[in-house]
């Protein structure tokens, strides 16, 4: 999809935040010298075309009582699809990526019951026959939520 | 959801939970989005705004914002760069790397010796593989002698992507 200057301004501005007021779109539109209806129409299109994956509150899972961890596995190439199917079958597995590395499978386990994390990893190890390298976040340095376009 | 006991966890009541469930898919594209949410969960618009503001203040909500799709915006080379840096300096170094404009996330994670010596993870977004490699080289220059080994893991394929959802 082609983005014009106004789309870019909207994307840049809305990554920074959005007001909690009665008519927040009108407020943002005024700042960008747009009408409220044009801002809403463009946002609808950016979301429909998947230029934006989401627009709304970004929750911090840990503060909701949830827990996350990143897990790495080193899986033989001829066994990869079987193990991917096992890992993906767990609803607690939120993302799973194949990466170009000896550790070639990387997935995130996210749950609103922190006690489940170890059970999920144990079950995956038993079902797959491979070790899970658990790499939970120990500290976080300045997570940026903005990509300038 | 389980009873909330973790000390880092903000106190959320049942109405907060309904508000989270009502907004985790996104904000209504309506001139009065908070009034729409209010109607859906049976409280006033004023209370919706008050509760959202409180969750923003306590950090339960990082911010209300748009999330761009890196791939759609041309950032097709997404590399996980991993670094072995001295534990005693990791906080100072992590903050410097996290502040670089091309690094979206920067985390400390445990090593698994001897197979995995890396303790610092920085996600790098670039429009090409060469550009990603250049940016990783920039991180290496910034780390200098503190770079005791690093590696780059390009993503080959997304096998699953659903995100975390609160269970209703």
């Amino acid at each position: 999809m082609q983005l014009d200057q106004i789309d870019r301004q909207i994307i840049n501005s809305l990554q920074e935040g959005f007001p909690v007021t009665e008519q927040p779109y009108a407020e943002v539109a005024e700042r960008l010298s747009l009408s409220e209806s044009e801002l809403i129409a463009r946002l609808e299109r950016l979301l429909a075309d998947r230029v934006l994956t989401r627009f709304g509150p970004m929750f911090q899972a840990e503060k909701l009582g949830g827990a996350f961890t990143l897990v790495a596995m080193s899986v033989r190439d001829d066994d990869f699809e079987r193990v991917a199917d096992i890992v993906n079958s767990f609803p607690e597995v939120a993302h799973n990526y194949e990466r170009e590395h000896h550790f070639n499978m990387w997935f995130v386990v996210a749950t609103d019951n922190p006690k489940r994390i170890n059970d999920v990893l144990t079950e995956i190890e038993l079902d797959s026959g491979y070790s899970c390298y658990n790499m939970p976040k120990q500290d976080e340095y300045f997570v940026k939520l903005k990509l300038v376009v | 959801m389980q009873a909330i006991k973790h000390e880092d966890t903000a106190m959320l009541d049942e109405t907060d939970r309904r508000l989270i469930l009502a907004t985790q898919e996104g904000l209504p594209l309506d001139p009065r989005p908070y009034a729409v949410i209010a109607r859906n969960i049976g409280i006033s618009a004023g209370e919706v705004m008050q509760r959202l503001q409180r969750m923003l203040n306590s950090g339960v909500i990082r911010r209300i914002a748009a999330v761009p799709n890196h791939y759609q915006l041309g950032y097709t080379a997404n590399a996980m760069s991993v670094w072995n840096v001295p534990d005693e300096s990791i906080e100072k170094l992590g903050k410097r790397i996290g502040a670089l404009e091309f690094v979206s996330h920067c985390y400390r994670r445990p090593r698994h010796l001897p197979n995995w010596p890396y303790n610092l993870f920085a996600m790098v977004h670039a429009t090409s593989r060469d550009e990603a490699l250049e940016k990783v080289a920039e991180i290496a220059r910034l780390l200098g002698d503190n770079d005791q080994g690093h590696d780059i893991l390009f993503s080959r394929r997304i096998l699953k992507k659903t995100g975390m959802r609160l269970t209703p």
Side-chain angles (χ1 to χ4, degrees):
Chain A
M1 173 189 158
Q2 283 296 324
L3 300 178
D4 65 17
Q5 200 47 42
I6 295 169
D7 292 324
R8 287 173 195 281
Q9 275 177 3
I10 291 172
I11 295 168
N12 287 334
S13 159
L14 289 184
Q15 286 181 80
E16 308 224 322
F18 190 69
V20 183
T21 54
E22 258 173 62
Q23 288 184 264
Y25 293 104
E27 219 171 284
V28 173
E30 194 185 337
R31 224 161 49 211
L32 299 175
S33 308
L34 296 172
S35 70
E36 181 188 52
S37 56
E38 181 171 10
L39 173 62
I40 291 177
R42 280 179 181 262
L43 258 178
E44 266 167 10
R45 188 170 48 89
L46 292 169
L47 284 161
D49 291 346
R50 305 283 302 152
V51 173
L52 297 178
T53 54
R54 251 191 113 245
F55 171 61
M58 302 171 73
F59 296 100
Q60 198 173 329
E62 292 93 337
K63 297 221 174 182
L64 297 176
F68 273 107
T69 192
L70 177 69
V71 182
M73 284 177 118
S74 175
V75 181
R76 272 202 333 270
D77 284 346
D78 62 359
D79 212 9
F80 195 86
E81 300 305 320
R82 179 186 71 89
V83 176
D85 286 345
I86 291 170
V87 171
N88 291 351
S89 72
F90 286 81
E92 293 88 353
V93 172
H95 307 163
N96 188 5
Y97 281 79
E98 180 178 2
R99 294 192 178 274
E100 299 172 16
H101 195 269
H102 168 67
F103 284 102
N104 51 1
M105 195 180 293
W106 290 80
F107 55 92
V108 170
V109 180
T111 164
D112 56 13
N113 177 2
K115 292 194 206 87
R116 267 296 285 163
I117 288 202
N118 281 332
D119 296 347
V120 168
L121 299 193
T122 304
E123 286 169 38
I124 289 175
E125 288 187 331
L126 287 173
D127 291 355
S128 70
Y130 290 86
S131 296
C132 286
Y133 288 75
N134 189 13
M135 303 191 192
K137 174 175 84 182
Q138 295 171 308
D139 206 350
E140 167 182 304
Y141 309 107
F142 199 81
V143 176
K144 232 174 280 70
L145 300 158
K146 179 159 182 184
L147 181 73
V148 178
V149 297
Chain B
M1 196 160 138
Q2 297 295 302
I4 291 166
K5 293 189 198 92
H6 196 265
E7 58 178 26
D8 212 25
T9 303
M11 289 305 290
L12 299 173
D13 64 17
E14 197 43 45
T15 308
D16 290 324
R17 221 177 107 68
R18 276 191 291 142
L19 184 53
I20 292 166
L21 285 170
T23 55
Q24 64 182 359
E25 302 290 341
L27 216 58
L29 297 175
D30 179 282
R32 297 172 190 274
Y34 305 116
V36 173
I37 298 164
R39 273 199 300 279
N40 291 340
I41 63 173
I43 59 177
S44 72
E47 190 177 350
V48 166
M49 290 191 279
Q50 213 173 53
R51 286 176 179 270
L52 287 175
Q53 194 57 58
R54 206 184 55 224
M55 287 193 261
L56 279 162
N57 295 344
S58 68
V60 169
I61 299 175
R62 283 177 189 275
R63 68 175 84 178
I64 299 174
V67 183
N69 178 337
H70 286 97
Y71 287 94
Q72 284 275 9
L73 292 169
Y75 287 80
T76 52
N78 299 301
M80 185 167 80
S81 70
V82 293
W83 306 81
N84 178 5
V85 303
D87 287 332
E88 59 276 15
S89 323
I90 193 168
E91 190 172 350
K92 181 186 66 161
L93 299 168
K95 284 179 179 162
R96 288 182 65 189
I97 293 167
L100 295 169
E101 72 46 51
F102 53 82
V103 172
S104 63
H105 302 73
C106 187
Y107 295 131
R108 178 181 189 173
R109 297 184 185 278
R111 297 185 178 93
H112 289 267
L113 296 171
N115 296 333
W116 188 259
Y118 310 111
N119 56 346
L120 189 67
F121 287 56
M123 291 300 304
V124 169
H125 300 283
T127 55
S128 70
R129 186 176 278 249
D130 283 348
E131 191 191 329
L133 293 173
E134 249 169 61
K135 288 174 171 177
V136 171
E138 195 177 325
I139 296 175
R141 279 195 297 277
L142 190 150
L143 286 174
D145 291 343
N146 288 308
D147 172 15
Q148 299 178 341
H150 68 263
D151 207 343
I152 307 166
L153 290 82
F154 283 101
S155 59
R156 181 179 284 155
R157 190 156 51 117
I158 298 175
L159 302 167
K160 184 176 185 183
K161 190 163 190 175
T162 51
M164 179 182 160
R165 290 277 177 271
L166 269 192
T167 36

